[in-house]
mmCIF file of all heavy atoms in Angstrom:
data_model
loop_
_atom_site.group_PDB
_atom_site.id
_atom_site.type_symbol
_atom_site.label_atom_id
_atom_site.label_comp_id
_atom_site.label_asym_id
_atom_site.label_seq_id
_atom_site.Cartn_x
_atom_site.Cartn_y
_atom_site.Cartn_z
ATOM 1 N N LYS A 162 -64.184 -4.327 -83.922
ATOM 2 C CA LYS A 162 -63.497 -3.918 -85.148
ATOM 3 C C LYS A 162 -64.381 -4.282 -86.326
ATOM 4 O O LYS A 162 -64.645 -5.464 -86.578
ATOM 5 C CB LYS A 162 -62.146 -4.620 -85.243
ATOM 6 C CG LYS A 162 -61.433 -4.369 -86.565
ATOM 7 C CD LYS A 162 -59.970 -4.732 -86.463
ATOM 8 C CE LYS A 162 -59.369 -4.979 -87.824
ATOM 9 N NZ LYS A 162 -57.920 -5.181 -87.761
ATOM 10 N N LYS A 164 -65.349 -4.560 -90.177
ATOM 11 C CA LYS A 164 -64.831 -4.639 -91.537
ATOM 12 C C LYS A 164 -65.804 -3.925 -92.468
ATOM 13 O O LYS A 164 -67.028 -4.133 -92.368
ATOM 14 C CB LYS A 164 -64.692 -6.105 -91.961
ATOM 15 C CG LYS A 164 -63.660 -6.873 -91.158
ATOM 16 C CD LYS A 164 -62.244 -6.510 -91.573
ATOM 17 C CE LYS A 164 -61.211 -7.429 -90.953
ATOM 18 N NZ LYS A 164 -59.838 -7.049 -91.355
ATOM 19 N N ASP A 191 -61.892 -1.181 -90.396
ATOM 20 C CA ASP A 191 -60.863 -1.723 -91.281
ATOM 21 C C ASP A 191 -61.463 -1.972 -92.650
ATOM 22 O O ASP A 191 -62.328 -2.827 -92.819
ATOM 23 C CB ASP A 191 -60.305 -3.038 -90.701
ATOM 24 C CG ASP A 191 -59.117 -3.565 -91.513
ATOM 25 O OD1 ASP A 191 -58.731 -2.913 -92.498
ATOM 26 O OD2 ASP A 191 -58.571 -4.624 -91.133
ATOM 27 N N ASN A 193 -59.601 -2.705 -95.442
ATOM 28 C CA ASN A 193 -58.771 -3.607 -96.272
ATOM 29 C C ASN A 193 -58.618 -3.093 -97.711
ATOM 30 O O ASN A 193 -58.956 -3.805 -98.665
ATOM 31 C CB ASN A 193 -59.317 -5.040 -96.259
ATOM 32 C CG ASN A 193 -59.193 -5.689 -94.895
ATOM 33 O OD1 ASN A 193 -60.177 -5.780 -94.151
ATOM 34 N ND2 ASN A 193 -58.011 -6.124 -94.514
ATOM 35 N N GLU A 219 -58.279 1.707 -90.280
ATOM 36 C CA GLU A 219 -57.191 0.888 -90.785
ATOM 37 C C GLU A 219 -57.299 0.713 -92.292
ATOM 38 O O GLU A 219 -58.374 0.413 -92.809
ATOM 39 C CB GLU A 219 -57.288 -0.470 -90.080
ATOM 40 C CG GLU A 219 -56.016 -1.264 -90.072
ATOM 41 C CD GLU A 219 -56.262 -2.627 -89.420
ATOM 42 O OE1 GLU A 219 -57.031 -2.709 -88.442
ATOM 43 O OE2 GLU A 219 -55.691 -3.595 -89.917
ATOM 44 N N GLN A 220 -56.201 0.872 -92.949
ATOM 45 C CA GLN A 220 -56.019 0.620 -94.379
ATOM 46 C C GLN A 220 -57.229 1.031 -95.224
ATOM 47 O O GLN A 220 -57.840 0.188 -95.882
ATOM 48 C CB GLN A 220 -55.702 -0.863 -94.613
ATOM 49 C CG GLN A 220 -55.053 -1.116 -95.967
ATOM 50 C CD GLN A 220 -53.700 -0.439 -96.130
ATOM 51 O OE1 GLN A 220 -52.859 -0.477 -95.249
ATOM 52 N NE2 GLN A 220 -53.480 0.220 -97.253
ATOM 53 N N ASP A 244 -51.902 -1.231 -92.681
ATOM 54 C CA ASP A 244 -51.779 -2.680 -92.495
ATOM 55 C C ASP A 244 -51.181 -3.282 -93.773
ATOM 56 O O ASP A 244 -49.978 -3.553 -93.822
ATOM 57 C CB ASP A 244 -53.143 -3.292 -92.151
ATOM 58 C CG ASP A 244 -53.056 -4.787 -91.898
ATOM 59 O OD1 ASP A 244 -51.935 -5.329 -91.877
ATOM 60 O OD2 ASP A 244 -54.106 -5.444 -91.723
ATOM 61 N N GLU A 245 -52.000 -3.421 -94.826
ATOM 62 C CA GLU A 245 -51.465 -3.973 -96.073
ATOM 63 C C GLU A 245 -50.294 -3.120 -96.600
ATOM 64 O O GLU A 245 -49.386 -3.648 -97.247
ATOM 65 C CB GLU A 245 -52.575 -4.057 -97.134
ATOM 66 C CG GLU A 245 -53.553 -5.224 -96.925
ATOM 67 C CD GLU A 245 -54.707 -4.906 -95.971
ATOM 68 O OE1 GLU A 245 -54.605 -3.919 -95.213
ATOM 69 O OE2 GLU A 245 -55.721 -5.640 -95.985
ATOM 70 N N ASN A 266 -50.098 -1.368 -88.105
ATOM 71 C CA ASN A 266 -50.528 -2.681 -87.639
ATOM 72 C C ASN A 266 -49.374 -3.664 -87.850
ATOM 73 O O ASN A 266 -48.985 -3.937 -88.984
ATOM 74 C CB ASN A 266 -51.774 -3.134 -88.424
ATOM 75 C CG ASN A 266 -52.337 -4.454 -87.923
ATOM 76 O OD1 ASN A 266 -51.639 -5.248 -87.293
ATOM 77 N ND2 ASN A 266 -53.597 -4.702 -88.225
ATOM 78 N N LYS A 268 -48.014 -7.355 -87.772
ATOM 79 C CA LYS A 268 -48.429 -8.762 -87.768
ATOM 80 C C LYS A 268 -47.176 -9.597 -87.973
ATOM 81 O O LYS A 268 -46.404 -9.337 -88.902
ATOM 82 C CB LYS A 268 -49.403 -9.057 -88.921
ATOM 83 C CG LYS A 268 -50.767 -8.417 -88.752
ATOM 84 C CD LYS A 268 -51.639 -8.656 -89.974
ATOM 85 C CE LYS A 268 -53.012 -8.038 -89.774
ATOM 86 N NZ LYS A 268 -53.788 -7.976 -91.025
ATOM 87 N N MET A 292 -50.776 -1.106 -83.527
ATOM 88 C CA MET A 292 -51.773 -2.168 -83.397
ATOM 89 C C MET A 292 -51.038 -3.497 -83.506
ATOM 90 O O MET A 292 -50.111 -3.627 -84.300
ATOM 91 C CB MET A 292 -52.823 -2.058 -84.506
ATOM 92 C CG MET A 292 -53.900 -3.142 -84.444
ATOM 93 S SD MET A 292 -55.122 -3.027 -85.792
ATOM 94 C CE MET A 292 -56.073 -1.583 -85.326
ATOM 95 N N ASP A 320 -55.642 -6.628 -81.680
ATOM 96 C CA ASP A 320 -56.599 -7.259 -82.588
ATOM 97 C C ASP A 320 -56.193 -8.725 -82.784
ATOM 98 O O ASP A 320 -55.676 -9.105 -83.827
ATOM 99 C CB ASP A 320 -56.595 -6.474 -83.911
ATOM 100 C CG ASP A 320 -57.570 -7.041 -84.924
ATOM 101 O OD1 ASP A 320 -58.606 -7.603 -84.509
ATOM 102 O OD2 ASP A 320 -57.299 -6.925 -86.134
HETATM 103 MG MG1 MG B 1 -56.287 -5.075 -91.334
#
Side-chain angles (χ1 to χ4, degrees):
K162 174 164 159 173
K164 295 285 190 181
D191 186 1
N193 293 102
E219 201 183 323
Q220 199 63 45
D244 182 6
E245 284 86 343
N266 184 338
K268 290 175 179 167
M292 180 181 288
D320 181 30

